[in-house]
Amino acid sequence: MKNNRRSLLFACFILAMMLAGPLCLSASADNDAYGEAAWQYLQVIDQNFPSRITNVAVTEDFGPKKAAGAWIRSTLEGFGYNVTETTHMAGPNECITYRVTKPGNSPKKLVIGAHYDCVATKGVEDNGTGVSLLLELAARFINTETPLTLEFCFWDAEEYLASFSADQYVQEAAASGKAGDILLYVNLDSIGSGDHLYVYGGVYQEKNLTAVWGLNLADALAKRLGVPVYHLPEEVSSLQKSGYQPPARTANSDQEPFARNGIPYIYFEASDWSKLDDQHPQLLTTADPRIVSVNGGQLVHTSEYEDLAVLESLFPGRIQTHLRELGLLVSTMIRETGEETPALYRDGIPEEETSTENGSDESDESEETDESDETEETDESDGSGKTEETDEPDEASDDSDESEKSDGSGKSDNADESDGADNTDDPDNADTTDDPSAEETTQQAAPSESDGPSEYSDGSEGKSSSTEEKEPEKLTFFSYFERMPQYIRIILASGAASFILILLMEKGIRKKNLKQHSNQNANQNSK
């Protein structure tokens, strides 16, 4: 009897764990596992699909690229999508795009894209990282209600052929009158191993910055979520690089055709612009001296470094961190972007959002300012000379702000000198609008204790807001439990439920045994 009882209890426990398993897997594809699935996909790309080339002038072996495309398609179909496969010919080059659509509450679309082709390398950073995160996002939202219709696009022919596939998509949307349905395009290209995460956005029409609401939205969300992102530094303007006009970058990736047609875009990339000067006008992937001493700081388009094991040995955990941070940021953007969002962020970050972030900090700052003003007046009347000392911190702060503006990064222009070839800066394919005036400034969007997100409005200069560190929240048992990863919460809840179920069943079995024992005693006594 005891053995049967134990077997029954053990079976109940196993059943509870089996019921918890799918929930845990679902949680791993949801809020608390950003970047984990992308990391797994990136390992598959690294091990199975090198040299995904679309150019007969480079190779006639398109097997690796087609194999990668077939894997992308089967993976998307495994999620439950109907995949649209579109083929275009760029001369003798066959370019294949894979697209899936997830309907939202509005027919207006948020298009997210990454190119899956690469040069003659493993293409891990450029652009296995973008493809991996795009697959994770597609899986995450297939059964999730969203304000906008989502379209996940896996582009071909970004390398060598100047974003030919993305360009064909935009041309067809414009020809069919559906380009206006695209509210925003989000580009994911080389987002893993670079020193910092950068976000570019906006289109210059003459000297006016337009289509910038997506950049403001990204800045506001990054600040709220604690994801450090940077902007293209103002120093780039002095180089007069076509398509590089801070904070906009309209050249050398798949955002180019969208920007050329006036469609708002944001472009995420992991790079490093911090060493930009007249002698080094190129974009770097890293300022790490180990790489700078070898090839000037390039990780992309190099056979030596476009390898996951090598990148992990050089920068342990960096790719996973960037995948997790961008997974969180873009997922939040998907959940919160609706038809009304462009109007809210067109002229900067809404006051209610900044006030929510700042809390009572603004009032505290104003009180401190009033007190400092009174102190200065008192000092002047006393003739103590402390007024000059009070001004010094402001000057130092200005100097630090200027020094911070000079740090930044991006995707390499001189990668053609290495093993592969990047998109060209052909005037026909690049943004040829005038440079912005020297008065317009760009600030980093990296959230920190001293710097708030930059804000831009159509045709206006960048402006910044600052916040003070919030008072730490007091943790209770329930708030601590809520902060645990979801799969941990599910396991704990399932374990507790199993334990309670076992106790109840044990109690029922004991009660039944006791009743049987009582009946037996009664029968014996009657005899």
Side-chain angles (χ1 to χ4, degrees):
M1 179 65 72
K2 289 185 178 180
N3 290 335
N4 292 336
R5 187 188 313 166
R6 289 173 182 173
S7 299
L8 180 60
L9 295 178
F10 182 74
C12 292
F13 180 77
I14 295 299
L15 178 61
M17 290 296 100
M18 290 175 63
L19 293 175
L23 294 175
C24 294
L25 291 176
S26 175
S28 68
D30 200 11
N31 301 347
D32 300 306
Y34 295 107
E36 290 185 8
W39 176 248
Q40 299 299 323
Y41 296 135
L42 186 59
Q43 294 180 64
V44 174
I45 293 173
D46 172 72
Q47 296 167 10
N48 297 281
F49 307 114
S51 299
R52 307 179 297 276
I53 299 172
T54 305
N55 192 336
V56 295
V58 178
T59 182
E60 294 183 358
D61 181 12
F62 301 121
K65 190 203 75 169
K66 290 185 176 181
W71 172 73
I72 290 171
R73 175 166 189 148
S74 65
T75 303
L76 293 169
E77 290 174 340
F79 299 154
Y81 284 106
N82 293 320
V83 181
T84 299
E85 180 177 326
T86 307
T87 301
H88 297 96
M89 297 302 297
N93 303 299
E94 184 181 49
C95 309
I96 305 173
T97 298
Y98 300 92
R99 294 184 290 113
V100 295
T101 301
K102 204 289 295 182
N105 296 333
S106 167
K108 296 291 185 180
K109 291 194 294 187
L110 178 62
V111 180
I112 310 172
H115 73 89
Y116 69 94
D117 65 311
C118 69
V119 298
T121 68
K122 280 190 171 183
V124 171
E125 173 63 19
D126 188 9
N127 182 33
T129 53
V131 170
S132 299
L133 184 57
L134 192 57
L135 285 170
E136 178 181 306
L137 293 169
R140 185 182 300 279
F141 287 98
I142 184 170
N143 294 317
T144 302
E145 183 179 356
T146 56
L148 300 176
T149 293
L150 306 179
E151 194 161 46
F152 301 99
C153 300
F154 297 80
W155 310 117
D156 194 357
E158 191 270 354
E159 309 287 3
Y160 301 114
L161 301 177
S163 299
F164 180 79
S165 287
D167 184 65
Q168 293 297 305
Y169 171 87
V170 174
Q171 287 187 34
E172 291 174 1
S176 62
K178 295 181 179 179
D181 290 339
I182 304 174
L183 209 63
L184 180 69
Y185 173 64
V186 179
N187 194 50
L188 305 173
D189 192 354
S190 305
I191 56 175
S193 60
D195 289 347
H196 310 291
L197 287 178
Y198 280 75
V199 58
Y200 316 113
V203 177
Y204 278 99
Q205 295 181 356
E206 296 182 353
K207 294 183 179 181
N208 294 322
L209 181 62
T210 64
V212 76
W213 71 266
L215 183 64
N216 288 329
L217 173 63
D219 285 344
L221 294 179
K223 174 65 178 178
R224 188 207 310 168
L225 300 170
V227 175
V229 296
Y230 295 82
H231 283 181
L232 195 65
E234 182 61 28
E235 287 81 358
V236 175
S237 297
S238 63
L239 301 176
Q240 297 183 343
K241 295 170 67 66
S242 178
Y244 293 78
Q245 302 168 359
R249 177 179 169 185
T250 58
N252 292 337
S253 194
D254 294 305
Q255 85 289 354
E256 182 176 346
F258 292 88
R260 194 188 316 126
N261 285 271
I263 299 173
Y265 73 92
I266 53 175
Y267 170 9
F268 290 107
E269 178 186 54
S271 297
D272 196 326
W273 288 83
S274 64
K275 300 301 180 182
L276 194 71
D277 55 38
D278 293 337
Q279 286 73 37
H280 303 88
Q282 74 275 11
L283 299 75
L284 304 178
T285 314
T286 178
D288 190 297
R290 295 172 296 177
I291 315 302
V292 172
S293 63
V294 175
N295 63 14
Q298 299 304 330
L299 297 175
V300 299
H301 290 191
T302 61
S303 295
E304 181 179 1
Y305 299 118
E306 283 269 18
D307 182 281
L308 191 56
V310 173
L311 291 173
E312 269 297 287
S313 66
L314 288 169
F315 311 106
R318 175 182 288 183
I319 296 176
Q320 291 163 288
T321 297
H322 286 168
L323 291 175
R324 182 177 66 252
E325 291 174 338
L326 271 186
L328 171 62
L329 179 55
V330 179
S331 294
T332 305
M333 182 176 296
I334 290 173
R335 293 189 187 97
E336 299 187 9
T337 303
E339 287 191 42
E340 73 287 348
T341 307
L344 294 175
Y345 288 88
R346 183 173 290 118
D347 296 321
I349 299 175
E351 292 183 2
E352 56 268 25
E353 181 147 359
T354 56
S355 63
T356 301
E357 292 174 358
N358 296 347
S360 60
D361 292 342
E362 294 181 358
S363 60
D364 295 340
E365 290 175 0
S366 62
E367 290 177 2
E368 292 175 1
T369 304
D370 294 339
E371 292 176 0
S372 63
D373 291 341
E374 293 175 2
T375 304
E376 289 179 4
E377 292 176 2
T378 305
D379 293 339
E380 289 175 359
S381 62
D382 294 342
S384 61
K386 293 182 180 179
T387 305
E388 295 180 359
E389 296 179 3
T390 305
D391 293 338
E392 288 180 3
D394 293 334
E395 295 174 1
S397 177
D398 292 340
D399 292 339
S400 65
D401 289 344
E402 292 177 1
S403 65
E404 288 178 0
K405 293 177 189 177
S406 64
D407 292 345
S409 66
K411 184 180 179 180
S412 172
D413 283 344
N414 72 342
D416 294 343
E417 299 173 3
S418 58
D419 295 343
D422 199 353
N423 297 339
T424 62
D425 288 336
D426 191 332
D428 294 336
N429 295 323
D431 187 7
T432 57
T433 53
D434 296 336
D435 290 340
S437 62
E439 294 180 355
E440 292 173 326
T441 59
T442 304
Q443 298 185 3
Q444 292 182 4
S448 65
E449 294 182 0
S450 59
D451 295 329
S454 300
E455 298 181 41
Y456 298 90
S457 60
D458 287 355
S460 71
E461 299 177 355
K463 54 184 178 179
S464 65
S465 60
S466 61
T467 62
E468 293 182 0
E469 187 175 1
K470 294 183 180 180
E471 198 172 309
E473 178 185 354
K474 293 182 180 179
L475 287 178
T476 64
F477 170 78
F478 294 103
S479 62
Y480 182 76
F481 183 77
E482 289 175 355
R483 293 188 180 192
M484 291 181 180
Q486 187 173 349
Y487 71 94
I488 294 293
R489 299 200 302 267
I490 291 174
I491 290 175
L492 290 176
S494 300
S498 300
F499 181 72
I500 293 173
L501 179 62
I502 289 171
L503 289 179
L504 292 174
M505 293 185 66
E506 176 74 13
K507 183 178 180 181
I509 292 172
R510 287 181 178 178
K511 187 175 181 180
K512 182 179 179 181
N513 291 339
L514 182 61
K515 186 176 181 179
Q516 290 177 349
H517 184 68
S518 299
N519 292 336
Q520 289 175 357
N521 290 337
N523 292 333
Q524 289 177 358
N525 292 333
S526 63
K527 291 180 180 179

